[in-house]
């Protein structure tokens, strides 16, 4: 018969001693424990010598030269928690576009980690429906989890739609089919707010902006974008600088750990960055993160937040790297994906060793933003209020802008673009921060303030009046802004004369402007005027401007490219092919023209 062990028996005493020793070791602080990994504080720290970060200086400089050849406005490389490369306007807030979706899935992780959101709830459970088109009963069976994966099977119109993968409504059940559709992403934001009671932007600020010590981010850099004719669920656009986006990326590279603080669980980071769908040979999709499949990138564990223009926060956790690219989509800039990925590979190839244990670091220097004036509040009071946009004098009112005063500058909110700060300039214009676009006060015939408008809006209104045969009104509209205030105004004045049949006078004026300033700028502004008329559906007048531009600048490939596009829209296919061929002669790298010629010839063979 077995006897129970006494506390004083030798066997039990040995076991007890071992357990006590283990418990003591766990309870006492370990003086040999590794310190937390480096993260930025109020400022980013930068390697004074990139070799100490494990990068070959010559190879990194070659990567910089490759970046400078790209249409990109900012790029950052972070290694070992500090800055290796800081190129361009890294402290400027650019539009994030679809990068916003990765921010949202981060918020889902915050609430899921706390047990405050249940991912298996269906749209029916949540009481989610839509209008003007209601959801089908089968669509209501989609779960939150399906929305995060873009596999809901709900092919409903959505606000702020860019790429939209679609099939007939009800053709795919929930979870069965990957379809990148903003309906999933927009509705997921509404569900998060419904389930938690928290606003998306305030929650982002509380859980990421503050804890990560973002330098440029403000809650007003986000807004809700509605298109109620499509869906009642708004998009949630963000603006953010590269240096703040890099902080978010570094949090994911560190598996949710920020210094000595746990912000997201490692489980959520790994789960959300896992690949659930294959989109193409290069990428698959996780929970609102793109997961890279190419072996040279996959070995670094690369996943990325991507948006229009190839805004990118690339996270490479296996190498403790973050690479951020920002394109200035305010000005239509787009970074091509192929060259951007080649640049990422070039940066990876430049890393030839491990970072040293105690590198020399210096605080990243901030470049003061030009034009941030502060003036006495009383000089701004006449502009405060809610105004039609564009102002009534321009005759194209489509929405409103609400202007408020904050200290010595203005805040302008538009339901189409959100809130931007405006600073009064010495010439009387308002400089909009982030976009760096100038707005001009517009006054009625009695001199009373009636709103603000950018020069291109004034140009568009003037060209529309001229296209309708009202040259006098067109000249009056252009008179709202002095010619010397913006080069677009004298260019527009010449084009109003062109539309009125005064081609010789228009040509003389524009040639003089080209000689006195930047010919490329004049060419671009004339081209812009042509596209403005296309937007107004004044195709004949637009064509006359594109043709005129090829006469003014016959050696500029872009003038011929735009003329080819205008002919193509008017189905003058032979003329279009000829224009595109001339563009290729001037620029053999114009692959866009080659693709258009191929499409035109295919259309001719139908």
């Amino acid at each position: 018969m077995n006897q129970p062990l006494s506390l004083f028996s030798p066997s039990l005493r040995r076991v007890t001693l071992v357990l006590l020793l283990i418990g003591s070791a766990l309870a006492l602080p370990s003086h040999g424990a590794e310190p937390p990994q480096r993260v930025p504080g109020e400022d980013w720290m930068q390697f004074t010598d990139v070799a100490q970060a494990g990068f070959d200086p010559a190879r990194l400089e070659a990567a910089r030269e490759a970046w400078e050849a790209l249409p990109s406005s900012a790029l950052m490389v972070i290694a070992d928690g500090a800055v290796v490369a800081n190129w361009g306007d890294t402290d400027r807030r650019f539009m994030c576009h679809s990068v916003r979706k990765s921010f949202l899935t981060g918020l889902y992780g915050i609430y899921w980690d706390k047990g405050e959101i249940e991912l298996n709830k269906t749209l029916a459970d949540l009481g989610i429906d839509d209008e003007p088109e209601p959801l089908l009963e089968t669509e209501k069976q989609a779960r939150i989890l399906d929305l995060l994966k873009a596999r809901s099977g709900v092919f409903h119109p959505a606000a702020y739609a860019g790429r939209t993968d679609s099939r007939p409504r009800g053709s795919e059940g929930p979870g069965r089919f990957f379809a990148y559709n903003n309906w999933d992403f927009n509705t997921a934001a509404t569900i998060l707010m419904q389930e938690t009671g928290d606003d998306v932007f305030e929650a982002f600020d509380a859980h990421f902006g503050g804890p990560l010590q973002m330098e440029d981010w403000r809650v007003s850099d986000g807004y809700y974008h509605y298109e109620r004719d499509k869906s009642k669920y708004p998009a949630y656009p963000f603006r953010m600088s590269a240096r703040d986006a890099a902080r978010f990326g570094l949090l994911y590279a560190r598996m949710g750990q920020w210094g000595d603080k746990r912000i997201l669980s490692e489980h959520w980071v790994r789960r959300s960055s896992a690949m659930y769908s294959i989109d193409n040979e290069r990428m698959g999709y996780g929970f609102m993160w793109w997961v890279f499949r190419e072996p040279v990138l996959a070995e670094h564990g690369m996943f990325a937040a991507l948006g229009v223009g190839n805004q990118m926060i690339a996270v490479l956790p296996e190498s403790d790297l973050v690479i951020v690219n920002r394109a200035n989509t305010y000005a239509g800039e787009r970074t091509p994906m192929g060259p951007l990925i080649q640049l990422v590979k070039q940066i990876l190839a430049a890393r030839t060793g491990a970072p040293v244990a105690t590198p020399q670091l210096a605080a990243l220097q901030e470049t003061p933003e030009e034009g941030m004036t502060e003036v006495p509040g009383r000089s701004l009071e006449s502009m405060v209020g809610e105004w039609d946009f564009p102002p009534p004098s321009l005759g194209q009112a489509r929405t409103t802008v609400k202007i408020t005063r904050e200290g010595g500058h203005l805040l302008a909110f538009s339901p189409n673009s959100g809130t931007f700060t405006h600073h009064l300039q010495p010439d009387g214009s308002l400089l909009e921060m982030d976009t760096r676009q100038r707005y001009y006060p517009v006054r009625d015939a009695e001199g009373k303030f009636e709103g603000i408008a950018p020069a291109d809006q004034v140009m568009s209104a003037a060209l529309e009046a001229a296209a309708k045969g009202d040259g006098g009104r067109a000249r009056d509209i252009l008179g709202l802004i002095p010619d010397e205030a913006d080069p677009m105004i004298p260019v527009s004045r010449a084009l109003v004369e062109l539309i009125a049949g005064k081609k010789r006078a228009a040509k003389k004026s524009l040639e003089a402007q080209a000689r006195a300033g930047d010919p490329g700028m004049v060419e671009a502004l004339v081209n812009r005027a042509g596209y403005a008329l296309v937007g107004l559906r004044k195709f004949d007048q637009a064509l006359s401007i594109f043709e005129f531009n090829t006469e003014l600048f016959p050696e500029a490939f872009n003038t011929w490219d735009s003329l080819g596009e205008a002919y193509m829209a008017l189905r003058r296919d032979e003329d279009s092919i000829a224009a595109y061929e001339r563009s290729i002669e001037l620029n053999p790298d114009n692959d866009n023209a080659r693709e258009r010629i191929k499409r035109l010839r295919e259309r001719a063979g139908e």
Side-chain angles (χ1 to χ4, degrees):
M1 182 174 178
N2 294 331
Q3 298 294 319
L5 288 173
S6 164
L7 181 62
F8 299 102
S9 70
S11 298
L12 188 54
R13 282 202 304 271
R14 285 194 295 270
V15 172
T16 303
L17 179 60
V18 170
L19 291 174
L20 287 171
L21 288 171
I22 292 173
S24 299
L26 292 175
L28 292 172
S30 173
H31 297 291
E34 292 186 7
Q37 290 178 291
R38 181 186 297 110
V39 296
E42 291 184 359
D43 299 301
W44 276 101
M45 301 302 288
Q46 184 169 21
F47 289 94
T48 58
D49 178 0
V50 296
Q52 293 188 347
F55 282 78
D56 179 272
R59 291 187 184 184
L60 194 62
E61 181 57 30
R64 177 175 185 140
E65 291 174 3
W67 170 77
E68 288 175 343
L70 291 177
S72 168
S73 287
L75 190 131
M76 288 189 81
V77 179
I78 309 300
D80 194 28
V83 177
V84 171
N86 182 66
W87 305 333
D89 293 334
T90 56
D91 54 359
R92 181 177 173 187
R93 289 174 289 263
F94 293 104
M95 290 300 298
C96 292
H97 300 286
S98 289
V99 168
R100 68 189 174 97
K101 297 158 191 174
S102 301
F103 296 158
L104 184 69
T105 198
L107 285 177
Y108 264 93
I110 293 289
Y111 294 105
W112 184 83
D113 284 343
K114 295 192 293 185
E116 294 180 13
I117 201 157
E118 172 50 62
L119 300 183
N120 283 315
K121 281 189 177 180
T122 67
L123 300 180
D125 296 334
L126 297 160
I128 295 293
D129 205 339
D130 207 346
E131 54 188 43
E133 296 181 27
L135 295 183
L136 305 175
E137 289 304 314
T138 53
E139 293 173 328
K140 292 181 182 180
Q141 301 312 305
R143 302 166 299 166
I144 296 175
L145 197 60
D146 299 320
L147 271 62
L148 297 180
K149 295 178 180 179
R151 300 182 71 93
S152 72
V154 181
F155 303 105
H156 193 286
Y160 208 65
R163 167 184 168 178
T164 299
D165 300 338
S166 188
R167 289 193 172 190
R169 297 280 302 278
S171 62
E172 296 288 347
R176 291 175 47 189
F177 184 75
F178 172 69
Y180 191 87
N181 184 331
N182 269 0
W183 192 90
D184 285 11
F185 310 128
N186 296 347
T187 307
T190 298
I191 291 170
L192 184 83
M193 291 188 286
Q194 174 182 302
E195 292 297 281
T196 67
D198 292 342
D199 173 82
V200 165
F201 305 112
E202 291 176 356
F204 183 88
D205 188 61
H207 297 295
F208 299 121
L212 304 187
Q213 293 182 272
M214 290 185 174
E215 298 169 79
D216 308 303
W217 155 259
R218 306 158 302 188
V219 172
S220 61
D221 292 329
Y223 79 104
Y224 296 103
H225 181 93
Y226 286 89
E227 295 178 35
R228 296 183 190 276
D229 59 321
K230 298 173 183 174
S231 170
K232 69 180 183 180
Y233 299 115
Y236 44 97
F238 278 73
R239 297 198 306 276
M240 190 171 290
S241 65
R243 63 183 183 179
D244 283 348
R247 291 174 184 257
F248 188 78
L250 184 58
L251 174 67
Y252 271 78
R254 297 286 173 72
M255 294 290 124
Q257 185 77 19
W258 192 257
D260 58 4
K261 183 178 181 181
R262 170 65 62 184
I263 292 179
L264 281 171
S265 67
E266 181 174 345
H267 177 87
W268 181 262
V269 173
R270 292 191 181 279
R271 185 182 186 189
S272 59
S273 61
M275 185 166 58
Y276 301 102
S277 305
I278 293 175
D279 186 55
N280 54 45
E281 290 183 359
R282 175 173 286 156
M283 293 183 294
Y285 206 63
F287 288 2
M288 303 189 195
W289 285 97
W290 293 97
V291 185
F292 281 76
R293 304 175 61 210
E294 290 183 76
V296 70
L297 302 177
E299 70 182 36
H300 297 273
M302 180 169 154
F303 57 95
L306 296 172
V308 168
N310 285 317
Q311 319 297 333
M312 181 183 75
I313 307 174
V315 180
L316 298 90
E318 299 303 321
S319 305
D320 195 21
L321 283 172
V322 175
I323 303 173
V324 175
N325 180 69
R326 304 312 311 275
N328 180 12
T329 54
Y330 303 128
E333 185 176 68
R334 302 287 191 273
T335 308
M337 175 59 86
L340 179 59
I341 294 303
Q342 285 303 117
L343 177 61
V344 170
K345 293 176 182 177
Q346 196 172 355
I347 290 167
L348 292 176
R351 194 178 198 186
T352 56
V356 301
T358 55
Q360 294 294 312
L361 302 172
L364 191 65
Q365 296 298 307
E366 183 174 349
T367 304
E369 193 163 8
E370 295 181 2
M372 291 186 65
T373 60
E374 297 292 322
V375 300
R378 60 181 178 277
S379 62
L380 304 172
E381 283 300 327
S382 65
M383 302 183 197
V384 172
E386 188 163 346
W387 312 96
D388 287 338
F389 183 83
S393 293
L394 303 185
Q396 297 180 330
R398 294 190 301 271
T399 184
T400 60
V401 58
K402 184 177 181 180
I403 299 177
T404 57
R405 182 167 64 83
E406 184 177 89
H409 62 270
L410 297 171
L411 296 178
F413 170 77
S414 164
N416 291 339
S417 58
T419 301
F420 289 85
T421 60
H422 286 243
H423 294 261
L424 187 64
Q425 303 302 297
D427 64 0
S429 66
L430 295 167
L431 181 63
E432 184 173 79
M433 293 295 105
D434 301 337
T435 70
R436 297 184 183 169
Q437 186 170 27
R438 284 184 183 267
Y439 284 75
Y440 296 88
V442 175
R443 302 184 185 280
D444 61 18
E446 298 176 355
K448 186 177 179 181
F449 179 83
E450 61 173 15
I452 59 175
D456 59 354
Q457 193 67 58
V458 174
M459 174 195 72
S460 176
L463 292 176
E464 182 177 32
K468 292 178 179 178
D470 194 344
R473 174 166 168 72
R475 296 181 191 94
D476 288 344
I477 290 171
L478 292 173
L480 294 170
I481 300 177
D483 281 15
E484 62 272 15
D486 195 293
M488 191 174 287
I489 302 305
V491 167
S492 301
R493 197 176 296 283
L495 294 177
V496 166
E497 298 306 309
L498 174 70
I499 293 171
K502 300 177 182 178
K503 183 176 180 180
R504 182 178 298 177
K507 187 174 183 182
K508 183 178 179 181
S509 173
L510 290 171
E511 286 175 341
Q513 292 177 50
R515 285 194 301 271
D518 178 358
M521 180 189 68
V522 174
E523 178 247 306
L525 290 175
V526 173
N527 224 38
R528 193 167 173 179
Y531 282 112
L533 284 167
V534 168
L536 295 167
R537 305 190 67 79
K538 302 293 182 182
F539 298 112
D540 291 339
Q541 292 88 348
L543 180 61
S544 70
I545 286 178
F546 288 129
E547 290 175 336
F548 183 58
N549 214 14
T550 61
E551 294 179 35
L552 286 170
F553 304 100
E555 301 304 311
F557 86 92
N558 191 52
T559 64
W560 293 97
D561 194 90
S562 297
L563 179 59
E565 187 175 347
Y567 282 139
M568 188 176 183
L570 293 169
R571 302 192 72 85
R572 291 174 54 175
D573 292 359
E574 290 303 317
D575 290 333
S576 181
I577 289 172
Y580 279 128
E581 287 176 339
R582 177 58 179 152
S583 178
I584 292 170
E585 288 175 17
L586 295 167
N587 177 16
D589 294 329
N590 188 355
D591 292 333
N592 172 70
R594 287 190 176 85
E595 180 62 28
R596 292 294 179 90
I597 290 172
K598 179 182 177 183
R599 286 169 54 188
L600 285 163
R601 286 180 173 156
E602 288 173 351
R603 187 160 80 179
E606 290 176 355

